[in-house]
Amino acid sequence: MVIGAGHAGVQAAAGLRAGGYGGPVTMVTTEAHFPYERPPLSKEALDQEVDAASLSFSLSLRPHDFFTDHRISVLRGQAIEIDRLSQRVQITGGRRLGYDHLVLATGASPRRITLPGAALVGVHELRTMSDALALRSALDRARRVVVLGGGFIGMEVASAACKRGLHVSVLEQGDRVLGRAVSPPVSAAVAAHHRAEGVRLLLGDQADRVVGRNGRAVGVQTVAGEWLPADLVVLGVGSIAEDGLARRAGLATDDGVLVDEWLLTSDPRISAIGDCASVGDAATGTSRRLESIQNATDQGSYVAARILGDVPPYHALPSFWSNQGALKLQMVRSVPGHDRLVVRQGDAGFSVLCLQDGLLTGVESVNDSAIHMAARRLLSRITPTEIELEEVDFDVRKLARRAMTVDAALPGSP
Ligand SMILES: Cc1cc2nc3c(=O)[nH]c(=O)nc-3n(C[C@H](O)[C@H](O)[C@H](O)COP(=O)(O)OP(=O)(O)OC[C@H]3O[C@@H](n4cnc5c(N)ncnc54)[C@H](O)[C@@H]3O)c2cc1C
């Protein structure tokens, strides 16, 4: 049984069938909509030119007859309790279902901050299809939008609102946008792009309160004393793992459901994957929770393969993308952090090579896809002397081709 029918849950269920599993597969989901893609909710779904009525169809994660064709039951309801002794899950509506193996793919939900005025009409958050449809119709009526939080979702919403010709301000408490996710050169490029589009960026400041009149938001008062009039306020202040179900069942949690390198929880009959899972690293004693499509789908595929047979511990390169108007951002990172950054200009954009202890450990690209794809093949293999960082005509693609040739010549290569 799989709890949650997002990217991770659907991938796990589909992976079980693809791997030849013949037993019953049930997915439990709280969502009213057919399983759908989440990234477009802050991008295409807010675009006036995209037809709202067709959204839930066009964003489907799988064709509509996929689940019946593959004998995957999709059960609407909320899993409210796991009885680990009897291996049963209590679902709303009085239903109790048994499991041989349980996969928690419960995702994350928007972080809720204690902000006066956050419950006023006109204040929106964005996680689900229903949130996106509500935000979309609010954008249809809005003139002035204030986005709280300069992370990916906040900047993507700002971009969509700006494209509609609305007056947009973004309030970010850090000193740069996307500060927790990308290096300063990428933050600077993103900020410059949005400012050029007409977005007002207020950095190093935060909302003190949302002010309302007759129950509706009319503006945001900032801590630094700015008054930002608004008929629409969007909260984009991060997400928290949906790990309450696991915690209530006595599973180990800490900013997510704690899993080992096989994505198993502290109960070997329960796995956790995707946004809700925090994967432990036995070598360092740390754990890391990621929120990305690559992470959710890779972990979904992995857990299906592991249920079906012997597999090595889970390993994947964490990657992420974001589209903001004309900006296409791509990030990949083998380990967090860096001690050196090298910026390489491309034809239409640039890439930032992140180095740690002499190894290339990350690549962040802005409108520079070809270099990005070449550089990611070199991660954790190339030292600065080898990549001749200071050479003006240094060519990442040539180096990637050379590395592939060396790989092909190694014994055991296919
Ligand atoms: C607006 C937005 C834009 C994004 N853009 C990008 C992007 O450009 N690139 C990228 O890589 N990532 C992006 N992400 C992140 C990406 O969408 C997530 O990392 C991914 O969807 C996680 O998949 P998941 O299956 O783990 O969780 P989810 O997709 O959140 O699915 C979990 C599901 O479980 C259900 N559920 C939870 N608890 C229960 C319960 N007790 N019983 C039954 N059902 C339950 C939830 O309702 C939900 O439907 C974006 C996210 C958002 C919100």
Side-chain angles (χ1 to χ4, degrees), residues 318-387:
S319 65
F320 192 87
W321 83 92
S322 172
N323 299 340
Q324 297 167 29
L327 282 191
K328 308 273 174 271
L329 309 184
Q330 292 167 286
M331 282 81 48
V332 61
R333 200 172 280 282
S334 57
V335 292
H338 54 258
D339 55 25
R340 187 171 174 203
L341 295 175
V342 179
V343 180
R344 286 282 156 187
Q345 289 302 325
D347 298 336
F350 68 92
S351 290
V352 180
L353 308 179
C354 310
L355 300 146
Q356 178 73 43
D357 298 330
L359 278 178
L360 181 68
T361 54
V363 188
E364 300 171 359
S365 304
V366 180
N367 295 344
D368 202 20
S369 267
I371 298 298
H372 187 85
M373 297 319 284
R376 64 178 288 153
R377 285 190 227 125
L378 303 172
L379 285 187
S380 299
R381 303 167 54 198
I382 298 296
T383 63
T385 41
E386 279 172 305
I387 62 173

Coordinates of all heavy atoms in Angstrom, one line a residue, residues 318-387:
P318 N 21.2 14.8 -6.6 CA 20.1 15.7 -6.4 C 20.1 16.8 -7.4 O 21.1 17.4 -7.6 CB 20.3 16.3 -5.0 CG 21.3 15.3 -4.3 CD 22.1 14.8 -5.4
S319 N 19.0 16.9 -8.1 CA 18.9 18.0 -9.1 C 17.6 18.7 -9.0 O 16.6 18.2 -8.5 CB 19.2 17.5 -10.5 OG 18.1 16.6 -10.9
F320 N 17.5 19.9 -9.6 CA 16.3 20.8 -9.5 C 16.3 21.7 -10.7 O 17.3 22.0 -11.2 CB 16.4 21.6 -8.2 CG 15.1 22.3 -7.8 CD1 14.1 21.6 -7.1 CD2 14.8 23.6 -8.3 CE1 12.9 22.2 -6.8 CE2 13.6 24.2 -8.0 CZ 12.6 23.5 -7.2
W321 N 15.1 22.1 -11.1 CA 15.0 23.2 -12.1 C 13.9 24.2 -11.7 O 13.1 23.9 -10.9 CB 14.7 22.6 -13.5 CG 13.2 22.3 -13.7 CD1 12.3 23.2 -14.3 CD2 12.5 21.1 -13.3 NE1 11.1 22.6 -14.3 CE2 11.1 21.4 -13.7 CE3 12.8 19.9 -12.7 CZ2 10.1 20.4 -13.5 CZ3 11.8 19.0 -12.5 CH2 10.5 19.3 -12.9
S322 N 14.0 25.3 -12.4 CA 13.0 26.3 -12.2 C 12.9 27.2 -13.4 O 13.9 27.5 -14.0 CB 13.3 27.2 -10.9 OG 12.5 28.3 -10.8
N323 N 11.7 27.5 -13.8 CA 11.5 28.4 -14.9 C 10.8 29.7 -14.4 O 9.8 29.6 -13.8 CB 10.5 27.8 -16.0 CG 11.1 26.5 -16.6 OD1 12.3 26.3 -16.5 ND2 10.2 25.7 -17.1
Q324 N 11.4 30.8 -14.7 CA 10.9 32.1 -14.3 C 10.9 33.0 -15.5 O 12.0 33.6 -15.8 CB 11.7 32.7 -13.1 CG 11.6 31.8 -11.9 CD 12.6 32.1 -10.8 OE1 13.0 33.3 -10.7 NE2 13.0 31.1 -10.1
G325 N 9.8 33.1 -16.2 CA 9.8 33.9 -17.4 C 10.8 33.4 -18.4 O 10.8 32.2 -18.7
A326 N 11.7 34.2 -18.9 CA 12.7 33.8 -19.8 C 13.9 33.1 -19.2 O 14.8 32.6 -19.9 CB 13.2 35.0 -20.6
L327 N 13.9 33.0 -17.9 CA 15.0 32.3 -17.1 C 14.8 30.8 -17.0 O 13.7 30.4 -16.4 CB 15.2 32.9 -15.7 CG 15.9 34.3 -15.6 CD1 16.2 34.5 -14.1 CD2 17.1 34.3 -16.4
K328 N 15.7 30.0 -17.4 CA 15.7 28.6 -17.1 C 16.8 28.2 -16.2 O 18.0 28.3 -16.6 CB 15.8 27.8 -18.4 CG 14.9 28.2 -19.5 CD 13.6 27.5 -19.5 CE 12.5 28.1 -20.5 NZ 11.7 29.2 -20.0
L329 N 16.5 27.9 -15.0 CA 17.6 27.5 -14.0 C 17.7 26.0 -13.9 O 16.7 25.3 -13.8 CB 17.2 28.1 -12.6 CG 16.9 29.6 -12.5 CD1 16.7 29.9 -11.1 CD2 17.9 30.4 -13.2
Q330 N 18.9 25.5 -13.8 CA 19.1 24.1 -13.6 C 20.2 23.9 -12.5 O 21.2 24.6 -12.6 CB 19.6 23.4 -14.8 CG 18.6 23.3 -15.9 CD 19.2 22.9 -17.3 OE1 19.9 23.7 -17.9 NE2 19.0 21.7 -17.7
M331 N 20.0 23.1 -11.5 CA 21.0 22.9 -10.5 C 21.2 21.4 -10.3 O 20.2 20.6 -10.3 CB 20.4 23.5 -9.1 CG 20.5 24.9 -9.0 SD 19.2 25.9 -9.8 CE 17.7 25.1 -9.3
V332 N 22.4 21.0 -10.0 CA 22.7 19.7 -9.6 C 23.9 19.7 -8.6 O 24.8 20.6 -8.8 CB 23.1 18.8 -10.9 CG1 24.3 19.3 -11.6 CG2 23.2 17.3 -10.5
R333 N 23.9 18.8 -7.6 CA 24.9 19.0 -6.6 C 25.1 17.6 -6.0 O 24.1 16.9 -5.6 CB 24.3 19.9 -5.5 CG 25.3 20.5 -4.6 CD 24.5 21.5 -3.8 NE 24.4 22.8 -4.5 CZ 25.3 23.7 -4.6 NH1 26.5 23.5 -4.1 NH2 25.1 24.8 -5.3
S334 N 26.4 17.1 -6.0 CA 26.6 15.8 -5.4 C 26.7 15.9 -3.9 O 26.3 15.0 -3.2 CB 27.9 15.2 -6.0 OG 29.0 16.0 -5.8
V335 N 27.2 17.0 -3.3 CA 27.2 17.2 -1.9 C 26.9 18.7 -1.6 O 27.1 19.5 -2.5 CB 28.6 16.9 -1.2 CG1 29.0 15.5 -1.3 CG2 29.7 17.8 -1.9
P336 N 26.3 19.0 -0.4 CA 25.9 20.4 -0.2 C 27.2 21.2 0.1 O 28.2 20.6 0.5 CB 25.1 20.3 1.1 CG 25.1 18.9 1.6 CD 25.9 18.0 0.6
G337 N 27.2 22.4 -0.2 CA 28.3 23.3 0.2 C 29.4 23.4 -0.9 O 29.4 22.6 -1.8
H338 N 30.2 24.4 -0.8 CA 31.3 24.6 -1.7 C 32.4 25.5 -1.0 O 32.0 26.3 -0.1 CB 30.9 25.2 -3.0 CG 30.1 26.5 -2.8 ND1 28.7 26.5 -2.9 CD2 30.5 27.7 -2.6 CE1 28.4 27.8 -2.7 NE2 29.4 28.5 -2.5
D339 N 33.6 25.4 -1.5 CA 34.6 26.4 -1.0 C 35.2 27.3 -2.1 O 36.0 28.1 -1.9 CB 35.7 25.7 -0.2 CG 36.4 24.6 -0.9 OD1 36.4 24.7 -2.2 OD2 36.9 23.7 -0.3
R340 N 34.7 27.0 -3.3 CA 35.2 27.8 -4.4 C 34.1 27.8 -5.5 O 33.5 26.8 -5.8 CB 36.5 27.2 -5.0 CG 37.1 28.1 -6.0 CD 38.5 27.6 -6.3 NE 39.0 28.4 -7.4 CZ 40.0 28.0 -8.2 NH1 40.5 26.8 -8.1 NH2 40.4 28.7 -9.2
L341 N 33.9 29.0 -6.1 CA 33.0 29.1 -7.3 C 33.7 29.6 -8.5 O 34.5 30.5 -8.4 CB 31.8 30.1 -6.9 CG 30.9 29.7 -5.8 CD1 29.9 30.9 -5.5 CD2 30.1 28.5 -6.1
V342 N 33.4 29.0 -9.6 CA 34.0 29.5 -10.9 C 32.8 29.8 -11.9 O 32.0 28.9 -12.1 CB 34.9 28.5 -11.5 CG1 35.5 29.1 -12.8 CG2 36.1 28.2 -10.6
V343 N 32.7 31.0 -12.3 CA 31.6 31.4 -13.2 C 32.1 31.3 -14.7 O 33.1 31.8 -15.0 CB 31.1 32.8 -13.0 CG1 29.9 33.1 -13.9 CG2 30.6 32.9 -11.5
R344 N 31.4 30.5 -15.5 CA 31.7 30.3 -16.9 C 30.6 30.9 -17.8 O 29.4 30.5 -17.7 CB 31.8 28.9 -17.3 CG 33.1 28.3 -16.7 CD 34.3 28.6 -17.6 NE 35.5 28.6 -16.8 CZ 36.7 29.0 -17.3 NH1 36.8 29.5 -18.5 NH2 37.7 28.9 -16.6
Q345 N 30.9 31.9 -18.6 CA 29.9 32.5 -19.5 C 29.6 31.6 -20.6 O 30.5 31.0 -21.2 CB 30.4 33.9 -20.0 CG 30.4 35.0 -19.0 CD 29.1 35.3 -18.3 OE1 28.1 35.2 -18.9 NE2 29.2 35.6 -17.0
G346 N 28.3 31.4 -20.9 CA 27.9 30.6 -22.1 C 27.4 31.5 -23.2 O 27.6 32.8 -23.1
D347 N 26.8 31.0 -24.3 CA 26.3 31.8 -25.4 C 25.1 32.7 -24.9 O 25.1 33.8 -25.2 CB 25.9 30.9 -26.5 CG 27.1 30.1 -27.0 OD1 28.2 30.6 -26.8 OD2 26.9 29.0 -27.6
A348 N 24.2 32.0 -24.2 CA 23.0 32.8 -23.9 C 22.8 33.0 -22.4 O 22.0 33.8 -21.9 CB 21.7 32.0 -24.3
G349 N 23.7 32.4 -21.6 CA 23.6 32.5 -20.1 C 24.9 32.2 -19.5 O 26.0 32.5 -20.1
F350 N 24.9 31.5 -18.3 CA 26.2 31.2 -17.7 C 26.0 30.0 -16.8 O 24.8 29.7 -16.4 CB 26.7 32.4 -16.9 CG 25.9 32.8 -15.7 CD1 26.2 32.3 -14.5 CD2 24.9 33.7 -15.8 CE1 25.5 32.6 -13.3 CE2 24.1 34.0 -14.7 CZ 24.4 33.5 -13.5
S351 N 27.1 29.4 -16.4 CA 27.1 28.3 -15.4 C 28.0 28.6 -14.2 O 29.1 29.3 -14.5 CB 27.5 27.0 -16.0 OG 26.5 26.5 -16.9
V352 N 27.7 28.2 -13.1 CA 28.5 28.4 -11.9 C 29.0 27.0 -11.5 O 28.2 26.1 -11.3 CB 27.8 29.0 -10.7 CG1 28.7 29.1 -9.5 CG2 27.2 30.3 -11.1
L353 N 30.3 26.8 -11.6 CA 30.9 25.5 -11.1 C 31.3 25.6 -9.7 O 32.0 26.5 -9.2 CB 32.2 25.2 -12.0 CG 32.0 25.3 -13.5 CD1 33.3 25.0 -14.2 CD2 30.9 24.3 -14.0
C354 N 30.7 24.7 -8.9 CA 30.9 24.7 -7.4 C 32.0 23.7 -7.0 O 31.8 22.5 -7.4 CB 29.6 24.4 -6.7 SG 28.2 25.4 -7.2
L355 N 33.0 24.1 -6.3 CA 34.1 23.1 -6.0 C 34.2 23.0 -4.5 O 34.0 24.0 -3.7 CB 35.4 23.7 -6.5 CG 35.4 23.8 -8.1 CD1 36.2 25.0 -8.5 CD2 35.9 22.5 -8.7
Q356 N 34.4 21.8 -4.0 CA 34.7 21.5 -2.6 C 35.9 20.7 -2.5 O 35.9 19.6 -3.1 CB 33.4 20.8 -2.0 CG 33.5 20.5 -0.6 CD 33.4 21.7 0.3 OE1 32.6 22.6 0.1 NE2 34.3 21.8 1.3
D357 N 36.9 21.1 -1.7 CA 38.1 20.4 -1.5 C 38.7 19.9 -2.8 O 39.1 18.8 -2.9 CB 37.9 19.1 -0.6 CG 37.4 19.5 0.8 OD1 37.8 20.6 1.3 OD2 36.6 18.8 1.4
G358 N 38.6 20.8 -3.8 CA 39.3 20.5 -5.1 C 38.5 19.7 -6.0 O 38.9 19.4 -7.1
L359 N 37.2 19.3 -5.7 CA 36.4 18.5 -6.6 C 35.2 19.3 -7.1 O 34.7 20.1 -6.3 CB 35.9 17.3 -5.9 CG 36.7 16.0 -5.8 CD1 36.0 14.9 -5.0 CD2 37.1 15.5 -7.2
L360 N 34.9 19.1 -8.3 CA 33.6 19.7 -8.8 C 32.5 19.0 -8.2 O 32.3 17.8 -8.4 CB 33.6 19.5 -10.4 CG 32.4 20.2 -11.1 CD1 32.4 21.7 -11.0 CD2 32.4 19.7 -12.5
T361 N 31.7 19.7 -7.4 CA 30.6 19.0 -6.7 C 29.2 19.6 -7.0 O 28.2 19.0 -6.6 CB 30.8 19.2 -5.1 OG1 30.9 20.6 -4.9 CG2 32.0 18.4 -4.6
G362 N 29.1 20.6 -7.8 CA 27.8 21.2 -8.1 C 27.9 22.0 -9.4 O 29.0 22.6 -9.7
V363 N 26.8 22.1 -10.1 CA 26.7 23.0 -11.3 C 25.4 23.7 -11.2 O 24.3 23.1 -11.0 CB 26.8 22.2 -12.6 CG1 26.9 23.2 -13.8 CG2 28.0 21.3 -12.6
E364 N 25.4 25.0 -11.3 CA 24.1 25.8 -11.4 C 24.2 26.6 -12.7 O 25.2 27.3 -13.0 CB 24.1 26.8 -10.2 CG 24.2 26.1 -8.9 CD 24.3 27.1 -7.7 OE1 24.4 28.3 -8.0 OE2 24.4 26.7 -6.6
S365 N 23.1 26.4 -13.5 CA 23.2 27.1 -14.8 C 21.9 28.0 -15.0 O 20.8 27.6 -14.6 CB 23.2 26.0 -15.9 OG 24.3 25.2 -15.7
V366 N 22.2 29.1 -15.7 CA 21.1 30.0 -16.0 C 21.1 30.1 -17.5 O 22.1 30.5 -18.1 CB 21.3 31.4 -15.4 CG1 20.2 32.4 -15.8 CG2 21.5 31.3 -13.9
N367 N 20.1 29.6 -18.2 CA 20.0 29.6 -19.7 C 21.2 29.0 -20.3 O 21.8 29.6 -21.2 CB 19.7 31.0 -20.2 CG 18.3 31.5 -19.8 OD1 17.5 30.7 -19.3 ND2 18.1 32.8 -19.9
D368 N 21.7 27.9 -19.8 CA 23.0 27.4 -20.3 C 22.9 25.8 -20.2 O 23.8 25.2 -19.6 CB 24.1 27.9 -19.3 CG 25.5 27.8 -20.0 OD1 25.6 27.8 -21.3 OD2 26.5 27.9 -19.3
S369 N 21.9 25.3 -20.8 CA 21.6 23.8 -20.7 C 22.7 22.9 -21.2 O 23.0 21.9 -20.6 CB 20.3 23.5 -21.5 OG 19.2 23.6 -20.7
A370 N 23.3 23.2 -22.4 CA 24.3 22.3 -22.9 C 25.5 22.2 -22.0 O 25.9 21.1 -21.7 CB 24.7 22.8 -24.3
I371 N 25.9 23.3 -21.5 CA 27.1 23.2 -20.6 C 26.7 22.5 -19.3 O 27.4 21.7 -18.7 CB 27.6 24.7 -20.2 CG1 28.0 25.4 -21.5 CG2 28.7 24.7 -19.2 CD1 29.2 24.7 -22.2
H372 N 25.4 22.8 -18.8 CA 25.0 22.1 -17.6 C 25.0 20.6 -17.8 O 25.5 19.9 -16.9 CB 23.5 22.6 -17.3 CG 23.0 22.0 -16.0 ND1 23.3 22.7 -14.8 CD2 22.4 20.9 -15.7 CE1 22.8 22.0 -13.8 NE2 22.2 20.9 -14.3
M373 N 24.5 20.1 -18.9 CA 24.4 18.6 -19.1 C 25.8 18.1 -19.2 O 26.1 17.0 -18.7 CB 23.6 18.3 -20.3 CG 22.2 18.7 -20.2 SD 21.4 18.4 -18.6 CE 21.2 16.6 -18.7
A374 N 26.7 18.8 -19.8 CA 28.1 18.3 -19.9 C 28.8 18.3 -18.5 O 29.4 17.3 -18.1 CB 28.9 19.2 -20.9
A375 N 28.6 19.4 -17.8 CA 29.3 19.6 -16.5 C 28.8 18.6 -15.5 O 29.6 18.1 -14.7 CB 29.2 21.0 -16.0
R376 N 27.5 18.2 -15.5 CA 27.0 17.3 -14.5 C 27.6 15.9 -14.6 O 27.7 15.2 -13.7 CB 25.5 17.3 -14.5 CG 24.8 16.7 -15.7 CD 23.3 16.7 -15.5 NE 22.9 15.6 -14.5 CZ 21.8 15.7 -13.8 NH1 21.0 16.7 -13.8 NH2 21.6 14.7 -13.0
R377 N 28.1 15.6 -15.9 CA 28.8 14.3 -16.0 C 30.1 14.2 -15.3 O 30.7 13.2 -15.1 CB 29.0 14.0 -17.5 CG 27.7 13.6 -18.2 CD 28.0 13.1 -19.6 NE 27.1 13.7 -20.5 CZ 27.4 14.4 -21.6 NH1 28.7 14.5 -21.9 NH2 26.5 15.0 -22.4
L378 N 30.7 15.4 -15.0 CA 32.0 15.5 -14.5 C 32.0 15.6 -12.9 O 33.0 15.6 -12.3 CB 32.7 16.7 -15.0 CG 32.8 16.8 -16.5 CD1 33.4 18.2 -16.9 CD2 33.7 15.7 -17.0
L379 N 30.8 15.6 -12.3 CA 30.7 15.8 -10.9 C 31.5 14.8 -10.1 O 31.5 13.6 -10.4 CB 29.2 15.8 -10.4 CG 28.4 17.0 -10.7 CD1 27.0 16.8 -10.1 CD2 29.0 18.3 -10.3
S380 N 32.2 15.3 -9.1 CA 33.0 14.5 -8.2 C 34.1 13.7 -8.8 O 34.6 12.7 -8.3 CB 32.1 13.5 -7.4 OG 31.1 14.3 -6.7
R381 N 34.5 14.1 -10.0 CA 35.6 13.3 -10.7 C 36.7 14.2 -11.1 O 37.8 13.7 -11.5 CB 35.0 12.6 -11.9 CG 33.8 11.7 -11.6 CD 33.1 11.3 -12.8 NE 34.0 10.8 -13.8 CZ 33.7 10.6 -15.1 NH1 32.5 11.0 -15.5 NH2 34.5 10.1 -15.9
I382 N 36.5 15.5 -11.3 CA 37.5 16.4 -11.9 C 38.1 17.4 -10.9 O 37.3 18.0 -10.1 CB 36.8 17.2 -13.0 CG1 36.2 16.2 -14.1 CG2 37.7 18.2 -13.7 CD1 37.3 15.4 -14.8
T383 N 39.4 17.5 -10.9 CA 40.0 18.4 -10.0 C 40.3 19.7 -10.7 O 40.3 19.7 -11.9 CB 41.4 17.9 -9.5 OG1 42.2 17.7 -10.6 CG2 41.2 16.5 -8.8
P384 N 40.4 20.8 -10.0 CA 40.6 22.1 -10.6 C 41.7 22.1 -11.6 O 41.6 22.8 -12.7 CB 40.8 23.1 -9.5 CG 40.4 22.4 -8.3 CD 40.4 20.9 -8.5
T385 N 42.8 21.4 -11.3 CA 44.0 21.5 -12.2 C 43.6 20.8 -13.5 O 43.9 21.2 -14.6 CB 45.2 20.8 -11.6 OG1 44.8 19.6 -11.0 CG2 46.0 21.7 -10.7
E386 N 42.8 19.7 -13.4 CA 42.4 19.0 -14.6 C 41.4 19.8 -15.4 O 41.5 19.8 -16.6 CB 41.6 17.7 -14.2 CG 42.6 16.5 -13.9 CD 41.8 15.4 -13.4 OE1 41.0 15.5 -12.4 OE2 41.9 14.3 -13.9
I387 N 40.5 20.6 -14.8 CA 39.6 21.3 -15.6 C 40.2 22.7 -16.0 O 39.6 23.5 -16.7 CB 38.2 21.5 -15.0 CG1 38.3 22.2 -13.7 CG2 37.5 20.2 -14.8 CD1 36.9 22.5 -13.1

